[in-house]
Amino acid sequence: MIVTTKQLFAHAYGKYAVGAYNINNLEQTMGLFQGCMDSKAPFIIQLSKGARSYTHKKMLEAMIKAADEIFPDAIFAVHLDHGDEATCMDCIASGFYSSVMIDASAESFDQNIAITKRVADAAHAKGIVVEAELGKLGGVEEHVSVSEADAKLTDPAQAEEFVKRSGCDSLACAIGTSHGAFKFSGKQGLHFDVIKEIASRLPNFPLVMHGSSSVPEDEVRRINFFGGKMKDAKGVSEKDITKAGKMGVTKVNIDTDGRLVWCRVHREQFAIYPENFDLRPPGKVFMAEYAKYIVGKNKVLGSAGQLEAVRALIKK
Ligand code: G3H
Ligand code: 13P
Ligand code: ZN
């Protein structure tokens, strides 16, 4: 069942965070749904601009609709990740997405507000909710690389003004994380002081943490063992993710970890079975391993075991 992120956040706020997982293909889709069913967790499936053009946006929609039928108990939101204005408007018009992210964080404060407001007005007219971004995360996103030195933490006073003027429903804040597999190169950690200040200025308002992959050491070690070159890869500690979930961060974005599981499985499978040239055996292993990863992550987020409580709330 497709719901809005607003419905999911209403139950989660202050208690736990909902996992927002990027998908690109059917193996990721199946692994994600299976993992969320195994851990009885509500979730957010998110599609980037890159994912929408990897095969075809219609292919993604069809996969998700099929998964919804295969897993009738699933409760999830369908969300556009890091959209520009035109892509947001396309998703709003499609009638398929329940949530969009407008990312105008590279614009000036006033421009960001103006663009976000246009998207929020169009989305709200159709019952769709809107995530916006303020501040600048480091790392690579849609081929734009922001060095950690150029990254800019969200200013809490600006966040309060931004939400009031833009009409967004949730806010992605730059709090020290970055996209990709090489986080915290400057040795800094998560800025809990910033999260706390934003949450106190915006009580009960859902905050979003991008760049939240943990980059598990064991995945990186196994990738490197079978020929990968991922020196100094580092992610967000799981302890910090759990803590953020209790402080007003209700959506935690994870893409890189899924890619690492994919990469590790395929490197291992082709190294161990060099005679194999069939796509299905590694694909099967990947779906099972990704589902296992999702179960573990939902436990860390605190979303595991919340499915029936969310269903009861939605039915009311
Ligand atoms: O924040 C960006 C996400 O990790 C999406 O990555 O644009 O390569 O699909 P992508
Ligand atoms: P990671 O690169 O840490 O997985 O972050 C993904 C993300 O923020 C998607 O919007
Ligand atoms: Zn992101």
Side-chain angles (χ1 to χ4, degrees):
M1 187 201 324
I2 298 176
V3 299
T4 66
T5 44
K6 200 173 198 154
Q7 290 168 294
L8 299 180
F9 297 158
H11 186 255
Y13 190 90
K15 295 184 291 203
Y16 65 93
V18 183
Y21 301 100
N22 290 71
I23 60 116
N24 295 267
N25 66 9
L26 81 88
E27 287 83 1
Q28 285 181 306
T29 309
M30 289 301 285
L32 173 57
F33 275 79
Q34 187 63 59
C36 288
M37 287 300 87
D38 291 347
S39 54
K40 301 202 182 318
F43 63 103
I44 298 162
I45 190 160
Q46 54 183 12
L47 310 171
S48 70
K49 239 179 112 180
R52 281 162 51 89
S53 59
Y54 169 55
T55 50
H56 194 285
K57 60 185 182 182
K58 289 279 169 201
M59 185 60 81
L60 287 177
E61 286 185 25
M63 279 180 340
I64 295 168
K65 282 179 185 156
D68 195 17
E69 283 182 30
I70 298 166
F71 300 94
D73 290 338
I75 296 180
F76 60 100
V78 180
H79 175 78
L80 168 70
D81 189 28
H82 292 287
D84 52 28
E85 188 172 359
T87 311
C88 284
M89 295 306 185
D90 188 56
C91 292
I92 291 165
S94 80
F96 180 63
Y97 291 72
S98 58
S99 171
V100 294
M101 175 190 188
I102 171 69
D103 181 356
S105 59
E107 305 289 340
S108 69
F109 183 64
D110 284 324
Q111 264 300 95
N112 190 354
I113 290 176
I115 296 167
T116 301
K117 185 160 182 356
R118 284 200 294 272
V119 170
D121 288 346
H124 292 162
K126 291 188 116 191
I128 296 165
V129 298
V130 176
E131 173 184 330
E133 179 168 327
L134 183 65
K136 210 183 263 180
L137 265 78
V140 181
E141 178 186 300
E142 294 285 0
H143 311 298
V144 180
S145 178
V146 179
S147 79
E148 296 226 338
D150 290 334
K152 202 169 149 288
L153 296 183
T154 303
D155 176 305
Q158 275 198 341
E160 190 180 348
E161 184 184 341
F162 183 90
V163 168
K164 285 202 181 107
R165 285 175 56 195
S166 71
C168 66
D169 304 287
S170 64
L171 187 66
C173 303
I175 44 190
T177 62
S178 57
H179 291 108
F182 301 92
K183 306 183 197 298
F184 307 118
S185 56
K187 308 287 175 231
Q188 78 283 27
L190 255 192
H191 290 260
F192 286 106
D193 52 334
V194 177
I195 303 178
K196 201 169 159 196
E197 175 69 19
I198 297 172
S200 78
R201 286 173 178 266
L202 292 167
N204 289 315
F205 189 81
L207 306 178
V208 180
M209 189 162 84
H210 283 245
S212 304
S213 278
S214 303
V215 189
E217 274 176 27
D218 193 49
E219 297 292 347
V220 174
R221 184 188 58 73
R222 290 164 75 175
I223 287 170
N224 287 341
F225 185 79
F226 284 108
K229 287 199 165 73
M230 298 198 61
K231 198 173 167 290
D232 299 329
K234 194 170 172 28
V236 182
S237 85
E238 296 201 318
K239 200 170 81 306
D240 282 356
I241 291 176
T242 306
K243 184 170 168 184
K246 296 186 189 304
M247 293 176 70
V249 170
T250 47
K251 175 170 177 277
V252 163
N253 281 22
I254 295 170
D255 182 0
T256 296
D257 282 356
R259 297 177 187 207
L260 294 178
V261 175
W262 182 91
C263 178
R264 182 263 297 173
V265 164
H266 288 81
R267 280 192 177 278
E268 281 184 353
Q269 287 292 305
F270 287 119
I272 297 167
Y273 305 105
E275 74 288 355
N276 178 47
F277 57 89
D278 185 353
L279 72 163
R280 287 185 302 222
K284 281 260 180 209
V285 176
F286 169 71
M287 286 188 271
E289 289 292 289
Y290 189 43
K292 214 156 76 179
Y293 166 82
I294 295 288
V295 168
K297 188 55 61 172
N298 288 341
K299 285 184 185 157
V300 170
L301 293 167
S303 63
Q306 303 287 352
L307 188 64
E308 294 316 316
V310 169
R311 196 186 314 281
L313 192 73
I314 286 168
K315 273 192 188 152
K316 267 189 197 164

